[in-house]
Amino acid sequence: QVQLVESGGGLVQPGGSLRLSCAASGGTFSSSAMGWFRQAPEKERHFVALISWDGGVKHYSDSVKDRFTISRDNAKNTAYLQMNNLNTEDTAVYYCGTGYLAQLVQDTAEYWGQGTQVTVSS
């Protein structure tokens, strides 16, 4: 059973930065695509970014492109989301997920983490 655990969320001022981590266990992390998603209050969960198993393919939603960077360290079974120039619209619970690339870009995943809260406020 694959387990994903997110960390790194918190409260940040507009214009600030955070780095989220997603630690994976129980599966074949190094051969799996990883994705980040977010769910704002009273809204559905949506795709934010994905990365292929080898890091060769990365894709972002338009709302975060040029501000967020996804990466992974297969030796540590961990994926990251570096978030810069945050604004209040980025406030959400952020989830990581693993699955096929086609799944991830359609807001779905085989396995999900429990989520980490990111709040952008002055």
Side-chain angles (χ1 to χ4, degrees):
Q1 182 73 16
V2 174
Q3 290 188 326
L4 304 174
V5 179
E6 302 95 335
S7 61
L11 174 64
V12 62
Q13 292 186 340
S17 298
L18 281 175
R19 188 176 82 153
L20 305 183
S21 299
C22 172
S25 62
T28 54
F29 175 84
S30 60
S31 62
S32 301
M34 298 295 299
W36 285 97
F37 306 80
R38 67 186 182 186
Q39 184 170 18
E42 300 182 356
K43 294 188 177 180
E44 295 183 348
R45 183 162 51 192
H46 287 297
F47 163 81
V48 172
L50 65 78
I51 186 167
S52 61
W53 68 274
D54 63 349
V57 175
K58 297 179 183 180
H59 182 64
Y60 301 91
S61 67
D62 289 342
S63 60
V64 308
K65 195 178 298 183
D66 299 327
R67 298 188 299 123
F68 290 12
T69 302
I70 190 170
S71 62
R72 64 190 297 158
D73 185 338
N74 286 346
K76 296 182 178 180
N77 285 356
T78 302
Y80 305 96
L81 185 68
Q82 177 67 43
M83 306 185 295
N84 297 329
N85 194 21
L86 286 160
N87 59 61
T88 57
E89 294 181 349
D90 296 315
T91 295
V93 177
Y94 283 72
Y95 299 88
C96 65
T98 182
Y100 297 104
L101 291 175
Q103 285 179 302
L104 301 177
V105 77
Q106 295 184 53
D107 302 335
T108 61
E110 291 286 335
Y111 299 96
W112 297 97
Q114 84 290 348
T116 185
Q117 176 70 46
V118 171
T119 302
V120 184
S121 175
S122 55

